[in-house]
Amino acid sequence: MAFDVVLFTDLTGQFYHNKPAGAYSLASTLRRAGFSVMVVDHFQRYLRDRKRLTQMIKKTVGKNTLYVGFSSTFITDSLPEDKIIDNWFDFDNCKPVAWPWPDLETVANMIKVIKKLNPDTKVVYGGVKSQRPELLHPSLIIDYVISGYGEISAVALAHHLRRSEEH
């Protein structure tokens, strides 16, 4: 099933006992506004298996997909997959990055797959690091950046893109 909005967030190796509240809050708000939404946890783990990632994208992105959003909040530079961070002090020792750098090419290919499935689907970047534009990588095509609490902006963008489709 293709969704109107697909949101990628990450907790790979971090805080397994918590869900990333931002993506789920956006999803709830978008659903109340009448949009279908899929939240995909463990974004960095998906990047390690391109075939699985492509299959998942093909199942969730389609002609009705308005945008695919990426949350930057819990993306780190090189956290081992088996390490679980038990407190914020350990998390603060990880280098803040906007994208998982070793997998940047995979992210670029992921965006190509999304655009091939639906050239009108927009790529949206949000989360805590969206407020640091110096972290964004110029090789990735990002259509929109939502900075700060995104509930109002996420719904407004979805409505805008849907109206653009109708004309």
Side-chain angles (χ1 to χ4, degrees):
M1 172 185 173
F3 294 86
D4 296 325
V5 176
V6 179
L7 301 173
F8 285 91
T9 188
D10 202 331
L11 284 180
T12 302
Q14 304 159 48
F15 306 108
Y16 280 122
H17 53 280
N18 290 329
K19 290 279 191 184
Y24 284 93
S25 179
L26 288 179
S28 293
T29 303
L30 284 158
R31 288 180 187 124
R32 281 194 301 274
F35 297 96
S36 61
V37 183
M38 168 62 82
V39 177
V40 181
D41 280 331
H42 305 290
F43 170 54
Q44 284 180 269
R45 186 171 290 166
Y46 273 102
L47 292 175
R48 294 184 177 112
D49 186 346
R50 271 190 172 171
K51 184 177 178 182
R52 185 173 171 211
L53 177 63
T54 301
Q55 289 172 340
M56 191 272 309
I57 292 169
K58 287 180 177 178
K59 287 182 180 180
T60 58
V61 175
K63 294 190 182 303
N64 63 307
T65 305
L66 302 168
Y67 66 85
V68 175
F70 295 91
S71 172
S72 65
T73 302
F74 291 107
I75 292 176
T76 60
D77 59 341
S78 59
L79 188 66
E81 186 175 340
D82 60 347
K83 178 167 173 37
I84 296 174
I85 293 179
D86 292 321
N87 63 63
W88 282 103
F89 298 109
D90 290 340
F91 183 71
D92 287 339
N93 291 329
C94 295
K95 179 182 174 188
V97 294
W99 295 99
W101 293 108
D103 299 310
L104 196 57
E105 182 182 335
T106 305
V107 175
N109 287 330
M110 179 182 177
I111 292 171
K112 287 177 187 173
V113 170
I114 291 165
K115 294 290 189 173
K116 186 175 181 181
L117 289 168
N118 181 350
D120 295 326
T121 295
K122 303 301 180 193
V123 176
V124 179
Y125 186 77
V128 103
K129 294 175 196 134
S130 66
Q131 299 173 26
R132 296 187 56 192
E134 73 276 9
L135 294 176
L136 289 172
H137 198 275
S139 71
L140 299 175
I141 310 265
I142 307 297
D143 298 301
Y144 295 94
V145 174
I146 294 178
S147 185
Y149 294 104
E151 286 78 1
I152 293 170
S153 300
V155 172
L157 178 59
H159 281 299
H160 167 74
L161 295 173
R162 182 168 279 161
R163 279 193 302 273
S164 296
E165 266 185 4
E166 294 170 355
H167 290 95

